[in-house]
Amino acid sequence: MARKKDENTEARILEAAKTVFQAKGMDGARMQEIADKAGINKAMLHYYYRNKQLLFEAVFTHAFSLLAPQLKAILNDDSPIEEKIRHFTSNYISFIVDYPYIPNFIIQELNRNPDFILKLKDNPSFPNIDKFKKQVDEEVKQGLLKPINAEQLFINIMALNVFPFVAKPLLKAFTNTGEEAYRQLLEARKTEVADFIIHSIKTS
C-alpha cells in the first residue's frame, strides 16, 4: 500500500506543478503554491523534488515522454511523406492543445540550460529523422516531390506547428480572438498546415 500511496502523491505533485508552471512559467512558479495545489506540505514536496528545477524537469520529461514515442513512430513508419506530414501535424497539435506549456518549457529550458536537450536526446524514445530524410530524398528522385532539402522540410513542419503555441498571446491579439475561437483555429490547423506544406512540395 505504501508504494501505491507514493505513486499517487507523486502523480498529484506532477499534475499540480504542470498547472502552476503552465499558468506562471518557471520563474513565476512557487514551490509553496505547488505543494498547496497538490494537497501536501512543502516539506513533503521537497522530499520528492529538492528544488524547483528538478520538479520542472520532471514535469517536462513526463510530458515529453508521452509525445516523443508518438512522433518517433510516425517518422519511422513506412507511410508516404504526405501521410507522415498529416499524421505528424494532427498528433502534435492534439497533444500540445492538452499540454500547451511544452513548447515554452523547451525554449525556457534551452535558454537557461542548453545542455538539457542532451539528456532528452539520450532517451531511446527521442525522435530521429533519418528515415524521414531518406524517404524525402527517394520521393524527390521518383518525381513525387519537388527538389527540397529534407532538413529544411522538417524545420518548416516544426515551425508551422510550434509557433502558434509559442506566440499564442501575440497571435490572439493579431487575430482578435478569444480563447475558444483560438482553440478552433488550432484545431483547423491540423489540416491547414498539412495541406499548405503538401501543396508546396508535391509535383502534382
Side-chain angles (χ1 to χ4, degrees):
M1 292 297 293
R3 177 69 175 169
K4 177 75 170 177
K5 182 178 180 180
D6 288 343
E7 290 176 351
N8 287 339
T9 300
E10 185 161 17
R12 292 205 316 273
I13 290 171
L14 292 175
E15 184 61 30
K18 181 188 79 171
T19 301
V20 175
F21 283 136
Q22 181 177 332
K24 300 189 175 179
M26 169 67 173
D27 293 334
R30 296 289 176 265
M31 293 292 271
Q32 184 63 62
E33 182 178 3
I34 293 171
D36 292 344
K37 189 169 285 291
I40 60 174
N41 60 44
K42 192 174 178 180
M44 177 66 75
L45 177 58
H46 281 288
Y47 173 76
Y48 281 90
Y49 298 98
R50 293 193 308 274
N51 55 55
K52 187 168 63 170
Q53 178 66 27
L54 291 176
L55 180 53
F56 176 92
E57 291 186 9
V59 171
F60 173 80
T61 301
H62 173 71
F64 189 81
S65 72
L66 300 177
L67 175 62
Q70 297 180 40
L71 302 185
K72 184 176 181 179
I74 293 169
L75 290 169
N76 287 279
D77 68 20
D78 294 323
S79 61
I81 291 299
E82 178 175 346
E83 290 183 27
K84 280 188 189 297
I85 292 171
R86 294 193 184 283
H87 292 161
F88 188 98
T89 298
S90 180
N91 280 38
Y92 179 87
I93 291 176
S94 292
F95 187 89
I96 302 300
V97 163
D98 292 332
Y99 295 87
Y101 60 89
I102 287 183
N104 281 316
F105 265 29
I106 294 174
I107 292 172
Q108 290 175 24
E109 188 61 14
L110 291 183
N111 285 336
R112 182 170 43 245
N113 180 16
D115 291 336
F116 180 59
I117 194 66
L118 299 178
K119 298 180 184 178
L120 295 176
K121 195 173 181 181
D122 289 339
N123 190 306
S125 67
F126 190 86
N128 65 74
I129 65 170
D130 291 343
K131 185 168 184 176
F132 176 83
K133 287 162 62 177
K134 291 177 181 177
Q135 283 187 282
V136 170
D137 292 343
E138 185 59 32
E139 291 193 22
V140 168
K141 289 178 182 176
Q142 293 173 0
L144 300 174
L145 301 179
K146 299 173 184 176
I148 185 170
N149 177 276
E151 284 96 343
Q152 292 287 356
L153 174 57
F154 185 75
I155 292 171
N156 288 342
I157 294 169
M158 290 299 298
L160 287 168
N161 282 307
V162 173
F163 188 73
F165 293 96
V166 173
K168 179 180 175 180
L170 177 65
L171 293 178
K172 283 176 67 177
F174 279 150
T175 57
N176 194 30
T177 53
E179 186 64 28
E180 182 56 34
Y182 194 76
R183 189 182 180 94
Q184 291 175 10
L185 282 175
L186 292 175
E187 183 68 25
R189 286 187 68 78
K190 291 179 181 179
T191 53
E192 291 284 345
V193 169
D195 286 345
F196 181 81
I197 294 172
I198 290 165
H199 291 161
S200 73
I201 63 174
K202 289 196 72 175
T203 54
S204 61

